[in-house]
Amino acid sequence: MKYTLKTLALGTGLLLGLTTSCQKDFLERTPPNIILDAQLWNDPGLITGLLANYYDRIPTHTTTYLGADFNANPRRRTGWPDFAAYDEAMWSGNGNGPNDLFSFDAFRWENWNYGLIRDINLALEGLDQYSNALTSAQKEQFKAEFRFLRAYTYFELGKRYGGVPLVTSQLVYNFNGDTTPLQVARSKETELYDFVASELDAIKGTLGNAGSATRANRYTAMALKCRAMLYAASIAKYNAQSGLNIQTSGGEVGIPANLANAYYQKSLDAAKEVLAGPYSLYRANPNLGENFYEALTKKTANAEIIWRKTS
């Protein structure tokens, strides 16, 4: 048995011809599943949603408190198990019960988050290039929050690797065979910490005062600066005193000891700004043991929380 497609092809051609001749822009349609740059960067709701995604991608534990300094584990977003694993004063529950985490793999604290940095750089450029329906205040607020998250991410990189490449705009390859413009050298460790400090100083006024415990504000920025500058000062002071004095010839790792006091002063000044804010230690429960527990778990009516992550 034989089949012929001539009639089908002819009929389909006539039908398509009749349809397209009546609708001039038949193939020129806006995809329903793609958000264009001009749409995204002029819609506060869409930008806020994107911003929430970026907040979620930074390495965090559950909460940052005024009375405790909890560092982040970028690979597992857990709380007490990891705190206990590194604290000889606590029962970690590992193996036989007491703390027995004597060794761990080289990548336990790994974090190489340039994907997030690239996305933030694209967001900042998108706001500058496409936003014309936002008010100046909205635009600057969004940009300040993106810059806060970028500074936070660079601090997390610096804690692990020292000076890393500081990339603040998108790197575009033009397919001419020359990749030299894309080869950004590592910064000095001092340059990384100075970048974090300058970014936070530049945006703190735009971020405004405390209005949300889950989004960055002036005091969140200064709390981050306080911590980052304390890291830099401690590296400068104690690296030299340790006898190891770990550093590279180009300054990518290591901070000169003579810079310690300046970094300590920056940390202190930032801390004073935070202490002048609306935060205070949680003291609602006269039972000190219960009070300590509530300070770590109570999210509402808790003036000790500077910044928290909600699940």
Side-chain angles (χ1 to χ4, degrees):
M1 183 179 292
K2 296 182 179 179
Y3 295 93
T4 177
L5 298 178
K6 293 181 179 179
T7 303
L8 177 62
L10 178 62
T12 303
L14 288 173
L15 179 61
L16 181 61
L18 290 172
T19 305
T20 54
S21 63
C22 297
Q23 193 169 346
K24 188 175 181 180
D25 57 349
F26 176 74
L27 298 177
E28 297 178 8
R29 297 188 177 187
T30 301
N33 60 338
I34 297 176
I35 299 175
L36 303 177
D37 282 322
Q39 295 172 304
L40 171 61
W41 301 116
N42 286 291
D43 188 324
L46 291 177
I47 299 172
T48 301
L50 186 67
L51 193 58
N53 174 270
Y54 293 176
Y55 272 108
D56 185 59
R57 287 164 60 186
I58 62 174
T60 63
H61 271 304
T62 53
T63 313
T64 297
Y65 290 88
L66 183 64
D69 181 9
F70 296 151
N71 292 325
N73 184 328
R75 303 189 78 190
R76 287 174 296 281
R77 292 188 176 181
T78 56
W80 291 113
D82 272 326
F83 298 149
Y86 291 94
D87 188 346
E88 68 281 359
M90 296 185 66
W91 181 5
S92 70
N94 287 327
N96 61 358
N99 186 302
D100 59 359
L101 187 61
F102 297 110
S103 62
F104 46 87
D105 66 90
F107 300 101
R108 183 175 177 86
W109 298 97
E110 174 266 344
N111 177 39
W112 193 250
N113 213 355
Y114 272 95
L116 178 56
I117 289 174
R118 179 182 183 275
D119 286 345
I120 293 173
N121 289 339
L122 291 176
L124 290 168
E125 293 177 20
L127 282 166
D128 281 335
Q129 184 175 355
Y130 296 103
S131 293
N132 49 42
L134 300 181
T135 66
S136 296
Q138 286 176 315
K139 185 175 178 179
E140 293 306 310
Q141 171 69 29
F142 284 131
K143 288 176 66 175
E145 287 190 75
F146 283 123
R147 290 173 69 182
F148 169 84
L149 293 174
R150 187 174 62 183
Y152 186 104
T153 304
Y154 269 120
F155 172 49
E156 291 294 332
L157 290 175
K159 285 197 299 185
R160 292 161 174 80
Y161 310 114
V164 297
L166 290 171
V167 181
T168 57
S169 60
Q170 64 171 314
L171 302 177
V172 181
Y173 180 54
N174 60 10
F175 298 98
N176 67 352
D178 180 15
T179 60
T180 304
L182 308 180
Q183 299 171 12
V184 182
R186 289 183 63 173
S187 65
K188 294 181 179 180
E189 193 160 9
T190 53
E191 291 173 338
L192 182 140
Y193 281 102
D194 291 344
F195 171 79
V196 171
S198 64
E199 282 288 281
L200 297 172
D201 283 338
I203 63 176
K204 67 179 182 180
T206 304
L207 287 172
N209 297 328
S212 170
T214 58
R215 295 176 67 173
N217 59 54
R218 178 188 188 96
Y219 306 106
T220 316
M222 289 300 96
L224 175 58
K225 181 184 177 183
C226 174
R227 181 182 295 185
M229 296 302 97
L230 185 60
Y231 264 78
S234 300
I235 292 168
K237 181 175 180 179
Y238 294 107
N239 187 28
Q241 292 185 7
S242 69
L244 300 174
N245 204 21
I246 301 171
Q247 58 183 319
T248 58
S249 59
E252 297 86 359
V253 174
I255 297 177
N258 63 352
L259 298 179
N261 287 341
Y263 281 122
Y264 276 127
Q265 187 62 53
K266 291 178 181 179
S267 179
L268 177 61
D269 292 341
K272 289 179 178 179
E273 289 194 50
V274 177
L275 292 172
Y279 307 102
S280 61
L281 295 178
Y282 183 85
R283 295 190 177 95
N285 195 324
N287 183 309
L288 297 183
E290 293 179 2
N291 187 80
F292 177 72
Y293 173 78
E294 290 177 6
L296 298 175
T297 58
K298 191 171 184 179
K299 296 180 180 179
T300 59
N302 187 348
E304 187 168 329
I305 298 176
I306 300 174
W307 189 33
R308 73 166 182 259
K309 175 180 174 61
T310 57
S311 56

